[in-house]
């Protein structure tokens, strides 16, 4: 039994019956059977269905945003933006998949030799609650356009979103068993990975979840793509425009109530401009209004679950006990719901949770450094490597830092880190491996096949 709890008030939204072992087997076998037909459909056919799906998303964006607000607390304006981004990724792959997967001729002694990209089969997606539509669509659009089929194990607190996504594919005209949702708990995932019809796994989630799935997939010699946790550093250099840096930093920290793997988390500031940046940053963070996600005036909603809020607060408390100081926030509000205020901690040192761990909520760690060299050392002094940003008036210098010095999968100059269908997305170190989105992403779940012909 799965249940949806509204994090804004703690009230039960709905109970959902979990799929039985027999139900899981039936769904996976049906999806695998469908793959043998789907793999041979034309790109033109798949593209038309994907465009239908994009149109549906655009038409129903308000309804779907409301569903997210109810199930995991995302404010309506961000929910609408998320659905629009899902439509974008559908359109992007509808337009580009065929050219991305064209055969690539390679000159050899043979009459003909080339690389072909062929689908693998049925792919399992294990997806989180924080972007309950986007995380799924950024996987599903390229995966299905490549000729694979998919089954989804969504986070247990967003079963309504999971079923809504399945229904969207069906309404768009996709064959019934090209994309299916499994309503199961985490304990049932191992058997799904082990199922002979599952050819690969995509996981977006925590680092511990990634290690577990990687071990299970590795034991079965099945490929996996992992997008895991992050503790993204933002370098604020002395020559940066402080107002832009403060605004972008706050936006990157508060998006989705701070519940983003690529959310800005550690703000590493040169001491020369530290007081000025901190003043502006504090103003931006304090201006955020947290409230009912259904209220258009709310800037951020509650965290997705009360236990997640409590875990975040404990990290703050532990950091304070080790010497961190609170600039704003840092206390659980006396109100119903899983709310946590925008919080800034300074005097952050190694050994504190605010330095070492991912803070999955609206809590910012501000770290003072002497110069650029120390800033880069602190930025890279992390087990994570998902995203990073640098703010500087010297864009050439910023570009060099981003490309050559920062250890992360996505590095931005004078902007906060975000995903884009046109660019590969993923991390290094304990932030995972493999890439989603772009041309690189669609090739992850293909058989990169060598074909050689001699007459």
């Amino acid at each position: 039994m799965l249940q949806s709890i509204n994090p804004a008030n703690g009230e039960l939204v709905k109970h959902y019956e979990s799929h039985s072992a027999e139900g899981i087997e039936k769904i996976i076998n049906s999806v695998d059977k469908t793959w043998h037909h789907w793999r041979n459909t034309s790109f033109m056919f798949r593209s038309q269905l994907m465009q239908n799906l994009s149109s549906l998303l655009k038409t129903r964006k308000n309804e779907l945003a409301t569903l997210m607000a109810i199930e995991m607390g995302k404010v309506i304006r961000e929910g609408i933006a998320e659905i629009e981004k899902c439509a974008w990724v559908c359109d992007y792959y509808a337009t580009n998949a065929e050219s991305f997967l064209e055969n690539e001729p390679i000159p050899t002694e043979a009459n003909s030799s080339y690389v072909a990209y062929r689908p693998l089969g049925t792919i399992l997606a294990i997806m989180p609650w924080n972007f309950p539509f986007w995380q799924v669509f950024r996987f599903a659009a390229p995966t299905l356009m490549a000729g694979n089929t998919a089954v989804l194990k969504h986070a247990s607190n967003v079963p309504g979103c999971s079923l809504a996504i399945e229904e969207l594919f069906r309404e768009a005209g996709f064959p019934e068993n090209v994309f299916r949702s499994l309503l199961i708990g985490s304990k049932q995932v191992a058997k799904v990975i082990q199922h002979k019809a599952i050819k690969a796994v995509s996981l977006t989630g925590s680092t511990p979840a990634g290690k577990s799935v990687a071990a299970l997939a590795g034991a079965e010699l099945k490929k996996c793509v992992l997008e895991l946790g992050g503790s993204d550093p933002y370098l604020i250099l002395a020559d940066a425009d402080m107002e832009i840096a403060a605004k972008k930093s706050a936006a990157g920290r508060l998006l989705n109530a701070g519940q983003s793997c690529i959310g800005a988390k550690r703000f590493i500031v040169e001491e020369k401009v530290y007081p000025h940046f901190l003043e502006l940053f504090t103003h931006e963070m304090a201006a955020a209004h947290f409230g009912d996600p259904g209220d258009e005036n709310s800037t951020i909603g509650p965290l997705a679950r009360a236990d997640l809020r409590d875990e975040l607060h404990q990290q703050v408390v532990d950091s304070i006990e080790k010497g961190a100081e609170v600039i704003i926030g840092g206390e659980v509000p006396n109100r119903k719901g899983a709310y946590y205020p925008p919080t800034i901690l300074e005097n952050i040192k190694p050994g504190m949770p605010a330095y070492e761990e991912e803070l999955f909520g609206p809590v910012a760690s501000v770290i003072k450094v002497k110069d650029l060299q120390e800033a880069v050392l602190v930025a890279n002094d992390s087990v994570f490597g998902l995203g990073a940003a640098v703010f500087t008036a010297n864009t050439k210098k910023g570009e060099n830092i981003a490309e050559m010095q920062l250890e992360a999968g996505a590095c931005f100059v004078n902007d906060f880190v975000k995903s884009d269908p046109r660019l590969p997305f993923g991390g290094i170190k304990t932030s995972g491996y493999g890439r989603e989105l772009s041309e690189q992403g669609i090739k992850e779940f293909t058989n990169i096949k060598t074909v050689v012909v001699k007459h």
Side-chain angles (χ1 to χ4, degrees), residues 226-228 385-387 408-410 425-429 431-435:
L226 305 174
E227 193 268 281
L228 309 177
L386 192 54
F425 181 78
I428 59 173
K429 300 194 278 190
S431 289
Y433 50 75
R435 290 296 180 264

Coordinates of all heavy atoms in Angstrom, one line a residue, residues 226-228 385-387 408-410 425-429 431-435:
L226 N 23.6 6.9 -13.4 CA 23.3 7.3 -12.1 C 23.5 8.8 -12.0 O 24.5 9.3 -12.2 CB 24.2 6.6 -11.1 CG 24.2 5.1 -11.1 CD1 25.3 4.6 -10.1 CD2 22.9 4.5 -10.7
E227 N 22.4 9.5 -11.6 CA 22.5 10.9 -11.3 C 22.1 11.1 -9.8 O 21.0 10.9 -9.4 CB 21.5 11.7 -12.2 CG 21.8 13.2 -12.1 CD 20.9 13.9 -11.0 OE1 19.8 14.2 -11.3 OE2 21.5 14.2 -10.0
L228 N 23.2 11.4 -9.0 CA 23.0 11.3 -7.6 C 23.1 12.6 -6.9 O 22.8 13.6 -7.5 CB 24.1 10.3 -7.1 CG 24.1 8.9 -7.8 CD1 25.2 8.0 -7.3 CD2 22.8 8.2 -7.7
G385 N 30.4 15.8 -7.1 CA 30.9 16.5 -8.3 C 29.8 16.6 -9.4 O 30.0 16.2 -10.5
L386 N 28.7 17.2 -9.0 CA 27.6 17.3 -10.0 C 27.6 18.7 -10.7 O 27.8 18.7 -11.9 CB 26.2 17.2 -9.2 CG 25.0 17.0 -10.1 CD1 25.2 15.8 -11.1 CD2 23.7 16.8 -9.3
G387 N 27.5 19.8 -10.0 CA 27.5 21.1 -10.7 C 28.4 22.1 -9.9 O 28.8 21.8 -8.7
A408 N 33.5 19.0 -11.6 CA 32.0 18.8 -11.6 C 31.6 18.5 -13.1 O 32.3 18.8 -14.0 CB 31.3 20.0 -11.1
G409 N 30.4 17.9 -13.2 CA 29.9 17.5 -14.5 C 29.3 18.7 -15.3 O 29.2 18.7 -16.5
A410 N 28.9 19.8 -14.6 CA 28.3 20.9 -15.3 C 28.8 22.2 -14.5 O 28.6 22.3 -13.3 CB 26.8 20.9 -15.2
F425 N 24.0 16.1 -19.1 CA 23.8 16.3 -17.7 C 24.2 15.1 -16.9 O 23.8 14.0 -17.2 CB 22.3 16.6 -17.5 CG 22.0 16.9 -16.0 CD1 22.4 18.2 -15.5 CD2 21.4 16.0 -15.2 CE1 22.1 18.4 -14.1 CE2 21.2 16.2 -13.9 CZ 21.5 17.5 -13.3
G426 N 25.0 15.3 -15.9 CA 25.4 14.2 -15.0 C 26.7 14.6 -14.2 O 27.2 15.7 -14.4
G427 N 27.1 13.7 -13.3 CA 28.2 14.1 -12.4 C 29.4 13.2 -12.4 O 29.4 12.2 -13.2
I428 N 30.3 13.5 -11.5 CA 31.5 12.6 -11.3 C 31.6 12.4 -9.8 O 30.8 12.8 -9.0 CB 32.8 13.3 -11.8 CG1 33.0 14.7 -11.1 CG2 32.7 13.5 -13.3 CD1 34.4 15.3 -11.5
K429 N 32.6 11.6 -9.4 CA 32.8 11.2 -8.0 C 31.4 10.6 -7.5 O 30.8 9.8 -8.2 CB 33.2 12.4 -7.2 CG 34.6 13.0 -7.7 CD 35.2 14.0 -6.7 CE 34.7 15.4 -6.8 NZ 35.5 16.3 -6.0
S431 N 28.6 11.8 -7.2 CA 27.4 12.3 -7.8 C 27.0 11.4 -9.0 O 26.0 11.8 -9.7 CB 27.7 13.7 -8.3 OG 27.8 14.6 -7.2
G432 N 27.7 10.3 -9.2 CA 27.2 9.4 -10.2 C 28.1 9.3 -11.5 O 29.2 9.8 -11.6
Y433 N 27.5 8.6 -12.5 CA 28.2 8.4 -13.8 C 27.2 8.2 -14.9 O 26.0 7.9 -14.6 CB 29.2 7.3 -13.8 CG 28.8 6.0 -13.2 CD1 27.9 5.1 -14.0 CD2 29.1 5.5 -12.0 CE1 27.5 3.9 -13.5 CE2 28.7 4.3 -11.5 CZ 27.9 3.5 -12.3 OH 27.5 2.3 -11.8
G434 N 27.7 8.4 -16.1 CA 26.7 8.4 -17.2 C 26.2 9.8 -17.5 O 26.3 10.7 -16.6
R435 N 25.5 10.0 -18.6 CA 25.0 11.3 -18.9 C 23.5 11.1 -19.4 O 23.2 10.2 -20.1 CB 25.8 12.0 -20.0 CG 27.2 12.4 -19.5 CD 27.0 13.5 -18.4 NE 28.3 14.0 -17.9 CZ 28.9 13.5 -16.8 NH1 28.4 12.5 -16.2 NH2 30.1 14.0 -16.4

